[in-house]
Amino acid sequence: MQQMEQIVASLREEGFRITPQRMAIVDYLLKTEDHPSAELIHKVIRKKYPMVSLSTVYKTLELLKEKKLVNEMDVEGEARFDAHTDEHINLVCMNCGKIDDVDEDSLKDIQVKAARKSKYLILKSSFELSGYCSDCKSKFQA
Amino acid sequence: MQQMEQIVASLREEGFRITPQRMAIVDYLLKTEDHPSAELIHKVIRKKYPMVSLSTVYKTLELLKEKKLVNEMDVEGEARFDAHTDEHINLVCMNCGKIDDVDEDSLKDIQVKAARKSKYLILKSSFELSGYCSDCKSKFQA
DNA sequence: TTCCTTATTGATAATAATTCCTAATTAATA
DNA sequence: TATTAATTAGGAATTATTATCAATAAGGAA
Ligand SMILES: [Mn+2]
Ligand SMILES: [Mn+2]
Ligand SMILES: [Zn+2]
Ligand SMILES: [Zn+2]
């Protein structure tokens, strides 16, 4: 995700209004390393800005997705949002729900190769590994 | 996915009952190259075996997932089932909903590397590219 | 084959994340 | 400050999936 100023400028330029709700959501996403759900974003933001509704969170996330400022991923039927929009691997802990990022240079090559082989026009990619994180895995090994 | 006989044998061995419903679902998944939703599986199977309910389809898919005979993936809020359980790339057409497979040898290496870097115990992987298939992409290029 | 036990099924109700709807609010501009 | 169209809040609607449970039938024993 880019910096706040650029985001604000580009949204305003396209005729979108800069509301406190949108600022709060973008600000949170810019600062977190987390991959929060809509619900969590709502909860966190309410502490500082109590006047943000869940529907506004959803609508803002939709806008940010369209502007390619966040990616949406699905973890067990719940959408999780990722402000880290470069190609990378998301590691999902099936116990605590945490998601960690791992960079891997070859992902872009793989994507290009797959596009060639399949003749698809590729617009989005998602590389996801699930299991147990270092904290949780001890609990699941006999 | 393995062959029908092995699947039947291993389910029976573990005390699961072999019902016509389960046979029909496994049979369909074995034969299709498709990545069907629960609803589609239900519709297709009903033609041959009208006495299969949607809840049974869901429960059977749950069982097959636990036995690692199918993978579940999510496409726009709907679960899609993949009987091709080796590591591969799924290409999702955002227009017609079709999913194509592309093999890529380096996926396993990437997975191993990511596991080492992150200290995760990895149990599942999903490599997904979305865009427009060769049939659909012409409609989306000005 | 017939009978028993209990896993499985089918039908429907419940759940939960997301989307839809609309009157009230407010950002942007002059 | 007044105007106006975009946005918001909050609740209703939607929809895929899960839960519930009485009826059924698979598999084993006699
Ligand atoms: Mn990430
Ligand atoms: Mn596949
Ligand atoms: Zn964990
Ligand atoms: Zn297509």
Side-chain angles (χ1 to χ4, degrees):
Chain A
M1 208 164 169
Q2 315 159 36
Q3 283 314 294
M4 180 63 97
E5 290 172 31
Q6 304 167 43
I7 294 169
V8 165
S10 76
L11 287 178
R12 203 187 303 260
E13 199 172 338
E14 294 184 72
F16 294 104
R17 293 181 178 175
I18 307 306
T19 64
Q21 291 89 337
R22 285 176 175 170
M23 295 282 277
I25 292 165
V26 169
D27 182 62
Y28 171 55
L29 288 173
L30 274 176
K31 286 176 179 155
T32 188
E33 282 282 277
D34 216 345
H35 296 68
S37 65
E39 194 93 41
L40 179 61
I41 293 170
H42 185 228
K43 270 203 197 105
V44 171
I45 284 182
R46 283 208 135 178
K47 289 180 196 162
K48 254 188 162 174
Y49 310 88
M51 71 313 184
V52 179
S53 74
L54 185 56
S55 8
T56 296
V57 172
Y58 274 110
K59 266 174 292 197
T60 301
L61 288 168
E62 187 61 36
L63 175 65
L64 296 176
K65 262 182 350 189
E66 276 164 23
K67 299 288 148 233
K68 307 262 184 197
L69 295 170
V70 297
N71 285 329
E72 181 179 347
M73 51 190 293
D74 176 275
V75 177
E76 319 191 38
E78 189 185 53
R80 303 279 293 268
F81 298 88
D82 191 347
H84 183 189
T85 52
D86 301 326
E87 253 110 14
H88 65 278
I89 300 172
N90 285 299
L91 283 126
V92 182
C93 178
M94 292 160 61
N95 183 236
C96 67
K98 174 171 76 165
I99 298 177
D100 285 316
D101 288 340
V102 171
D103 287 319
E104 170 57 50
D105 292 335
S106 57
L107 294 180
K108 261 205 181 100
D109 299 336
I110 288 178
Q111 183 166 327
V112 171
K113 246 198 272 183
R116 254 204 306 268
K117 268 199 211 174
S118 66
K119 303 204 171 62
Y120 268 63
L121 171 67
I122 292 173
L123 301 175
K124 241 192 323 186
S125 63
S126 146
F127 303 95
E128 213 177 295
L129 300 175
S130 313
Y132 296 117
C133 74
S134 51
D135 295 334
C136 293
K137 70 180 170 188
S138 54
K139 301 171 198 158
F140 292 89
Q141 297 176 310
Chain B
M1 210 165 169
Q2 316 158 36
Q3 283 314 295
M4 180 63 97
E5 290 173 31
Q6 303 167 46
I7 295 169
V8 165
S10 75
L11 287 178
R12 204 188 300 260
E13 199 171 340
E14 294 184 71
F16 295 104
R17 291 181 181 176
I18 306 306
T19 64
Q21 290 89 337
R22 286 176 174 170
M23 295 282 276
I25 292 166
V26 170
D27 181 62
Y28 170 54
L29 288 173
L30 275 177
K31 286 177 180 156
T32 187
E33 282 282 278
D34 215 347
H35 295 69
S37 64
E39 194 93 42
L40 178 62
I41 294 171
H42 185 226
K43 270 202 198 106
V44 170
I45 283 184
R46 282 206 137 176
K47 289 178 196 162
K48 253 187 160 175
Y49 308 87
M51 71 312 186
V52 179
S53 75
L54 184 56
S55 5
T56 296
V57 171
Y58 274 110
K59 267 174 293 197
T60 300
L61 288 168
E62 188 60 36
L63 174 65
L64 296 175
K65 262 184 349 192
E66 277 165 22
K67 299 290 147 226
K68 307 264 185 194
L69 296 170
V70 297
N71 285 329
E72 182 178 346
M73 52 190 293
D74 176 277
V75 177
E76 321 191 36
E78 189 185 53
R80 303 278 293 267
F81 298 88
D82 191 346
H84 183 188
T85 51
D86 300 328
E87 254 109 13
H88 66 279
I89 299 173
N90 285 299
L91 283 126
V92 182
C93 178
M94 292 159 61
N95 183 236
C96 67
K98 175 171 73 165
I99 298 176
D100 284 315
D101 290 340
V102 170
D103 287 320
E104 170 56 52
D105 291 336
S106 57
L107 294 179
K108 263 207 180 94
D109 299 337
I110 289 178
Q111 183 165 328
V112 170
K113 248 198 268 182
R116 255 203 305 269
K117 270 200 210 172
S118 66
K119 302 202 171 65
Y120 267 63
L121 170 65
I122 292 173
L123 300 176
K124 241 192 323 190
S125 63
S126 144
F127 303 95
E128 215 177 291
L129 300 175
S130 313
Y132 296 117
C133 74
S134 50
D135 296 334
C136 294
K137 69 179 171 188
S138 55
K139 301 171 198 159
F140 293 88
Q141 296 177 309

